[in-house]
Amino acid sequence: MADRQATVERNTLETQIKITINLDGTGQAQFETGVPFLDHMLDQIARHGLIDIDIKAKGDLHIDAHHTVEDVGITLGQAFHQAIGDKKGIQRYGHAYVPLDEALSRVVVDFSGRPGLTFDVPFTRAMIGQFDVDLFHEFFQGFVNHALVTLHVDNLRGKNAHHQAETVFKAFGRALRMAVAPDPRMQGITPSTKGCL
């Protein structure tokens, strides 16, 4: 497969973001978003997805974290869309169940070329430390809209909101890892009956 790396910069009046990813990495990660809990969750994607991710973001955190979290999702989605290329020879679909103590989450992804998000995570509290859990939906909506993937995120059970979030992001990393992996039986072939994705 071709070199599956991308660097994307996105600059607005609200945020300035630069992301570099390598889909065939080893899980190396560097994050400077100014939102510590987001960095912790992004690290789960890198480590469990074996995707190298470097994110530098400056946002209007004096207002709140909304624009930064959403725009990191958008820019990460753009980077994935660029790095995945024509999608020939990939698995296309990925799924994972991940537990953490009492919490269990399932994430299913399809590099379909069609953005769609189903997000069912009944967080047991509104804040994790200083982080507003509503922003996770904004992150994933930004990602799917720009990565052009269909994504189903379900927290099946959990009482600790930190555990709920962490299982979601670990499962997301694992599902991405499966979906972008080369399929040796599909070399040079688009994994779709349409012939394109």
Side-chain angles (χ1 to χ4, degrees), residues 12-35:
T12 73
L13 295 177
E14 299 166 339
T15 60
Q16 297 81 49
I17 299 171
K18 181 178 180 180
I19 296 182
T20 298
I21 65 169
N22 178 2
L23 299 183
D24 302 304
T26 58
Q28 299 299 308
Q30 293 186 35
F31 305 114
E32 297 175 21
T33 69
V35 185

Side-chain angles (χ1 to χ4, degrees), residues 100-105 128 155 160-168:
L100 174 57
D101 297 341
E102 88 299 342
L104 175 66
S105 292
I128 302 174
N155 174 241
N160 181 302
H162 188 135
H163 293 172
Q164 290 176 290
E166 194 160 328
T167 56
V168 163

Side-chain angles (χ1 to χ4, degrees), residues 31-73:
F31 305 114
E32 297 175 21
T33 69
V35 185
F37 195 71
L38 176 62
D39 292 351
H40 181 45
M41 294 300 101
L42 293 168
D43 197 32
Q44 307 310 316
I45 300 172
R47 303 292 178 183
H48 294 278
L50 290 180
I51 299 163
D52 294 345
I53 307 176
D54 186 323
I55 300 178
K56 292 180 175 56
K58 291 183 180 179
D60 52 2
L61 296 178
H62 60 286
I63 297 174
D64 66 11
H66 188 286
H67 298 141
T68 299
V69 175
E70 180 180 25
D71 289 3
V72 166

